[in-house]
Amino acid sequence: MRKGYITVFLSLSLTLILSLVLTVIEGARISAIRMKFECVTDIGMNSVLAEYHRELLKQYDLLFVDTSYGTGAPSVENTQEHLRNYMQKNMQGQKTSIFHSTRDFLNMQVGTTELIEYSIASDDSGNVLKRQVSDYMADYPAEGLISKITANSEQVSSSRMDSRDIAGERNKYQRKIEEIGLPQKEVEEGVYEDVPLNNPADIANATRSIGVLNLVMGDTSGISNVKVDLKNYISRRTLMMGSGMCSDAVRVSGEPNDILFLIYLFDKCGYYGEVKEDSLLQYQIEYIIGGKDTDWQNLEQTAKKLLHIREVSNIIYILSDTSKIAEAEAMALGLTAVTMTPALAEPVKYTILFAWAYVESLQDVKSLLNGGRVPIYKTAADWKTGINSIKNVKGSLSDSDSGRGLNYKEYLEILLFLTPEHDRTFRAMDIMEMDIRKTPGNSAFRLDGCFDTFKAHMSITSGFGYSYEMERLYGFY
């Protein structure tokens, strides 16, 4: 009878023990499923980021994942599929030959992988890309350079050198001459014509239609004529949109900095006199400033902007120099004495002063393009042209250099600083696309198909009846 009791007791005990063991095993399965889900998610999302664009990193030190994966057809669905494949392969593992017939203890399968947020390079008016640039430039010794660029740009903008209507002021005096009118003489019976004033300012102003480069350069054959089709680039096409700049990335690396971005562009892009090797457009900074489709036009546009700044600066100076005003007045009086129209002396004097400042400005642009220096504000010692230069504009320009002031690059920094932020950012991205597309396998590269942070929603199922979901945020920050 005792043996029977012991058997019943052991049976009951084994039932309880077995239930406990099975419960522990099932608990271990649940924990293992959750842990493995965490692990394969981390591996999968890191693997997605490991597919960053190599050429973009090599040329521009930027980390972005190209959702086209070299196909030229960017889509987040491509990245979702890559993430799913990485997760599925790591869930299944690799079975060894001796255990190939054993049942998987977890039996997990990937359910869904969805990118619910992703920061595209062009999102927030390009601030996603600029945030990475600021992060890259964080250790760059830029304090002194930032102060210099800001101070120089402030000098130009405070005197309205970039916006003053110098042409309107010049034309005001020309209209006064027309209102007063010239005396007439009878050339034949009943036929009269104006007595010519022979104002040399008219000779100088007639050259304005020739083009700045044709005036300041003796030989223009060395200027690049590369032409691009801008409609194929990011500033001109309809863009793929993401969810905007990631707040976590901003919290870690800080807000994008426009001045750092400007300094970065000079570090990565070429310009006249400092051409970047293997670039498509030779004058890349000038393109960002001018936005035209040829190197020639961009350099011409930049030269025109430089001419405007220098013309305003030179007018400010020449109208304060009594000796130069006296020279112009003497020339005007001589011209009006011949025509016997003393009322014209005053407006003619100012047309001569404006023409003289224009020729001096051409001389400044020529000096800058030749590697010389020109101060923002001039003194008498810095002035290079004489009053008779307005009679022979191109022939009066020399290769002389004041030896002080700013060089061409420093004036480009000012022009780039004064370029509207949106234009500056997207034209810079045009340049990046142009140069990346020149490399093998990247002929259709698009920056608006690249992301640097992404949040994914994932789910898994198990053959044992369990399912779990998870959201994770990963990125380059």
Side-chain angles (χ1 to χ4, degrees), residues 186-291:
E186 188 175 11
V187 292
E188 57 182 80
E189 187 176 353
V191 178
Y192 294 86
E193 65 179 25
D194 291 340
V195 176
L197 184 60
N198 295 323
N199 186 354
D202 295 336
I203 299 173
N205 290 326
T207 66
R208 292 179 181 273
S209 61
I210 295 175
V212 183
L213 294 181
N214 287 321
L215 286 170
V216 302
M217 289 188 167
D219 180 11
T220 59
S221 62
I223 297 177
S224 168
N225 277 303
V226 173
K227 182 180 176 67
V228 294
D229 187 357
L230 292 179
K231 74 176 183 293
N232 292 324
Y233 294 98
I234 193 167
S235 65
R236 304 291 181 94
R237 64 170 182 262
T238 302
L239 302 181
M240 174 177 164
M241 304 294 291
S243 52
M245 193 155 55
C246 174
S247 58
D248 282 9
V250 173
R251 178 175 49 79
V252 172
S253 61
E255 295 281 352
N257 184 302
D258 275 330
I259 299 292
L260 282 178
F261 184 62
L262 187 153
I263 296 170
Y264 167 84
L265 291 179
F266 275 92
D267 185 52
K268 300 297 182 183
C269 298
Y271 52 90
Y272 180 78
E274 292 288 339
V275 176
K276 176 184 172 184
E277 188 178 353
D278 295 327
S279 61
L280 180 57
L281 285 177
Q282 301 293 289
Y283 314 138
Q284 297 177 318
I285 295 294
E286 288 86 349
Y287 167 74
I288 299 172
I289 293 168

Side-chain angles (χ1 to χ4, degrees), residues 39 65 91 174 216 222 266 292 298 316 362 379 423 470 477:
C39 290
V65 176
M91 276 184 181
Q174 189 61 43
V216 302
F266 275 92
K292 302 299 182 181
N298 288 317
I316 292 172
L362 287 172
T379 65
D423 292 342
M470 184 187 305
Y477 58 89

Side-chain angles (χ1 to χ4, degrees), residues 104-139:
D104 188 343
F105 181 68
L106 305 180
N107 195 17
M108 295 170 62
Q109 295 291 326
V110 177
T112 60
T113 54
E114 180 185 5
L115 269 64
I116 55 176
E117 293 180 15
Y118 43 93
S119 295
I120 295 292
S122 54
D123 281 353
D124 288 352
S125 298
N127 278 329
V128 170
L129 181 138
K130 287 162 66 178
R131 194 271 313 166
Q132 259 206 55
V133 168
S134 296
D135 194 20
Y136 164 72
M137 296 290 289
D139 296 327

Side-chain angles (χ1 to χ4, degrees), residues 6-58:
I6 291 172
T7 302
V8 172
F9 175 75
L10 287 174
S11 298
L12 293 173
S13 298
L14 287 172
T15 302
L16 294 173
I17 292 169
L18 187 58
S19 298
L20 176 62
V21 169
L22 293 175
T23 301
V24 169
I25 291 172
E26 197 62 20
R29 190 200 308 275
I30 293 171
S31 296
I33 289 173
R34 289 176 174 172
M35 183 179 70
K36 189 168 185 178
F37 187 20
E38 293 264 357
C39 290
V40 297
T41 296
D42 289 341
I43 293 170
M45 295 186 77
N46 273 318
S47 297
V48 167
L49 292 180
E51 295 180 297
Y52 61 84
H53 199 280
R54 270 47 176 182
E55 198 63 40
L56 193 58
L57 177 65
K58 178 182 176 182

